[in-house]
Amino acid sequence: MLLKDKVIVVTGGAGLLGRRFVKAVVDNGGIGIIADINPETGKRCEDELSAELNAKGKVAFFPLDITSKESIQTLIKDVKQKFGKIDGLVNNAYPRNKNYGRSFEDVTYEDFCENLSLHTGGYFLMMQQLGLYFKEQGSGSIINMSSIYGVIPPRFEVYEGVKFTMPVEYAAIKSAIVHLTRYAAKYFKKSGGQGKCHKSRGHIR
Ligand SMILES: NC(=O)c1ccc[n+]([C@@H]2O[C@H](COP(=O)([O-])OP(=O)(O)OC[C@H]3O[C@@H](n4cnc5c(N)ncnc54)[C@H](O)[C@@H]3O)[C@@H](O)[C@H]2O)c1
């Protein structure tokens, strides 16, 4: 019961990994907030996890677009109204535009910039807005999802014979998130945080 009664917001909570994180929160005694841009999968995920875990009231979907300050502020207000507080954020959403995933030669300047804005920019906005909220509250933790590909170079041989690759945007996005996490950990140390950043998990305290 490591997370007993802790309210944890998981962005992209209706996705492949997000859903597992929400389940882990509830398995450990907490309340899992599925914060996702897709209301259909978000609501379905709430219904399915509530039934699977026999945890009605411990899992809740809230709509969120991590690239909109207004949407983030609405989420904070609505979660606070329903559960009284927010204890943690798992910054996990995976926004990308329709051209995301092309080979290096085919990525346009516009697509490169847009994908970086959506993903790295969205993670920044979540850290900024939740960071302000946690500062006011006096406590809070943030976990940022990077990737092995934010740390090591791609192994292109793994993608031989398949139609997809390891996108260049992903390398730029995920390596930036590792360092943004260090930045935020040091920044919030000034306001009473521990200034700690777990190397592999991107955990700000
Ligand atoms: N799947 C993997 O093997 C893997 C490995 C390493 C890291 N990651 C990272 O884990 C995270 C989750 O990956 P996944 O595979 O579960 O992705 P996914 O595509 O299955 O889920 C992503 C979720 O994010 C939501 N989303 C998209 N844009 C959003 C926005 N603007 N605001 C709020 N929600 C939004 C989608 O609706 C979706 O539910 C990503 O950051 C990814 O880079 C994944």
Side-chain angles (χ1 to χ4, degrees):
M1 295 287 111
L2 273 175
L3 296 174
K4 191 166 169 19
D5 298 329
K6 300 281 186 200
V7 181
I8 311 294
V9 169
V10 181
T11 71
L16 188 71
L17 297 188
R19 185 191 166 101
R20 309 323 291 172
F21 295 148
V22 173
K23 180 179 183 303
V25 168
V26 177
D27 282 344
N28 281 281
I31 293 158
I33 307 298
I34 302 160
D36 204 287
I37 200 166
N38 187 330
E40 231 169 83
T41 53
K43 191 74 190 81
R44 192 177 338 125
C45 188
E46 176 189 293
D47 293 343
E48 287 172 1
L49 282 179
S50 298
E52 182 188 328
L53 305 173
N54 195 16
K56 206 166 167 18
K58 298 273 182 191
V59 182
F61 165 69
F62 288 84
L64 169 73
D65 177 359
I66 66 163
T67 68
S68 156
K69 184 173 167 183
E70 195 189 356
S71 172
I72 299 170
Q73 289 180 341
T74 303
L75 172 93
I76 294 173
K77 180 172 70 56
D78 291 350
V79 174
K80 214 178 142 198
Q81 198 170 331
K82 184 156 181 188
F83 294 103
K85 59 173 182 163
I86 301 172
D87 297 294
L89 161 69
V90 183
N91 223 350
N92 161 79
Y94 194 170
R96 59 263 208 200
N97 77 8
K98 64 177 184 353
N99 294 328
Y100 178 81
R102 290 177 168 175
S103 292
F104 185 79
E105 297 85 346
D106 301 325
V107 175
T108 64
Y109 173 78
E110 288 74 19
D111 284 333
F112 184 87
C113 293
E114 187 177 11
N115 280 306
L116 257 75
S117 295
L118 292 169
H119 198 142
T120 315
Y123 276 47
F124 152 72
L125 206 53
M126 285 301 296
M127 275 195 282
Q128 182 195 57
Q129 294 301 306
L130 267 293
L132 287 169
Y133 169 79
F134 290 149
K135 192 172 156 185
E136 197 187 317
Q137 182 175 256
S139 65
S141 289
I142 300 175
I143 293 176
N144 289 325
M145 278 298 283
S146 178
S147 162
I148 191 165
Y149 286 135
V151 184
I152 64 159
R155 293 205 195 117
F156 288 114
E157 62 275 18
V158 173
Y159 301 95
E160 271 166 27
V162 294
K163 284 197 175 132
F164 54 93
T165 186
M166 210 299 276
V168 62
E169 300 98 312
Y170 200 67
I173 288 164
K174 291 307 193 185
S175 56
I177 286 173
V178 170
H179 204 70
L180 271 178
T181 306
R182 295 191 186 110
Y183 182 101
K186 287 291 175 196
Y187 185 80
F188 286 116
K189 189 176 181 187
K190 285 192 305 185
S191 42
Q194 293 175 16
K196 284 187 186 155
C197 169
H198 191 290
K199 214 172 174 184
S200 59
R201 290 193 205 109
H203 188 179
I204 304 168
R205 290 186 67 106

